[in-house]
């Protein structure tokens, strides 16, 4: 890894940390409505919903996490084709959405930054003493390759989170990158919930 790659990795990590630590809230503005007579049957005041984003929140698929894993690439000649060590994370943004930044570390570093829709946890098996649950997710985002050609490509992702305990989540997902050639890889990891 050269200095330019290290600088890019530090920049992305610091931006992610700032978003996570600072807490971002986006709220829709409610328009001011002039008071209407209460006896007017045509006047109905409905409360407006406020969209809130709070990084680190628990989504329908479970809590946010950070962890490590492995990436298995299926084509050695592409951006996502090499097998690599990975640092993974899930940062819940709202009840339904999360961002799942990952870094694939090999000779070069590849950053995956997908925005995902998280689906509710479903029981796959419940024996009475042990429960196996899965929480699927689907999303899209970008892949950022830091090699000499440093390129940015479109990324599709889908997978499942498996809550192992209150503090541990196992995850597995398929990533399809479109940066020049189409490349496919499998990401497997374990995360610590926060």
């Amino acid at each position: 890894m050269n200095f330019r790659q290290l600088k890019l990795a530090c920049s992305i990590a610091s931006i992610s940390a700032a978003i996570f630590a600072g807490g971002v809230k986006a709220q829709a503005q409610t328009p001011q409505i002039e008071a209407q007579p209460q006896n007017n049957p045509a006047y109905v005041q409905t409360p407006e919903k406020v969209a809130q984003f709070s990084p680190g929140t628990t989504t329908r698929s479970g809590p946010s996490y950070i962890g490590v894993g492995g990436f298995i690439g299926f084509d050695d000649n592409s951006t996502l084709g090499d097998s690599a060590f990975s640092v993974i994370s899930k940062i819940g943004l709202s009840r339904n959405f999360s961002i799942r930044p990952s870094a694939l570390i090999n000779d070069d570093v590849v950053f995956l930054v997908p925005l995902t829709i998280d689906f509710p946890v479903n029981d796959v098996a419940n024996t009475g003493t042990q429960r196996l649950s899965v929480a699927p997710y689907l999303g899209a985002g970008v892949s950022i390759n830091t090699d000499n050609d440093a390129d940015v490509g479109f990324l599709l992702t889908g997978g499942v989170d498996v809550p192992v305990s209150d503090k541990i989540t196992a995850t597995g997902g398929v990533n399809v990158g479109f940066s020049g050639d189409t490349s496919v890889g499998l990401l497997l990891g374990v995360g610590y919930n926060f």
Side-chain angles (χ1 to χ4, degrees), residues 19-192:
I19 290 172
F20 175 69
V24 177
K25 289 193 177 187
Q27 296 183 348
Q29 297 293 327
T30 55
Q32 298 296 326
I33 300 173
E34 292 182 22
Q36 299 288 329
Q38 297 297 329
N39 57 2
N40 183 352
Y43 173 72
V44 178
Q45 184 174 358
T46 58
E48 294 197 23
K49 299 265 183 182
V50 176
Q52 292 187 356
F53 295 97
S54 180
T57 191
T58 298
T59 68
R60 293 188 300 177
S61 67
S64 298
Y65 58 78
I66 187 164
V68 295
F71 186 83
I72 303 166
F74 298 117
D75 178 14
D76 290 335
N77 298 324
S78 63
T79 305
L80 297 179
D82 295 331
S83 295
F85 170 77
S86 61
V87 177
I88 61 172
S89 64
K90 170 193 164 192
I91 302 170
L93 299 176
S94 70
R95 186 81 179 131
N96 300 322
F97 295 99
S98 64
I99 188 167
R100 296 173 183 263
S102 301
L104 310 179
I105 303 166
N106 195 345
D107 294 335
D108 298 310
V109 178
V110 177
F111 294 99
L112 307 178
V113 188
L115 177 66
T116 61
I117 298 172
D118 298 340
F119 298 98
V121 175
N122 294 318
D123 285 344
V124 174
N126 191 350
T127 63
T129 57
Q130 186 173 355
R131 184 178 108 186
L132 177 62
S133 302
V134 296
Y137 63 86
L138 290 173
V142 296
S143 64
I144 304 166
N145 189 352
T146 62
D147 67 2
N148 293 335
D149 297 333
D151 60 344
V152 176
F154 182 68
L155 174 72
L156 291 176
T157 188
V160 294
D161 287 337
V162 180
V164 177
S165 70
D166 289 342
K167 294 293 182 186
I168 303 293
T169 298
T171 187
V174 175
N175 294 285
V176 181
F178 302 94
S179 177
D181 296 331
T182 302
S183 53
V184 180
L186 177 65
L187 180 67
L188 300 171
V190 177
Y192 178 77

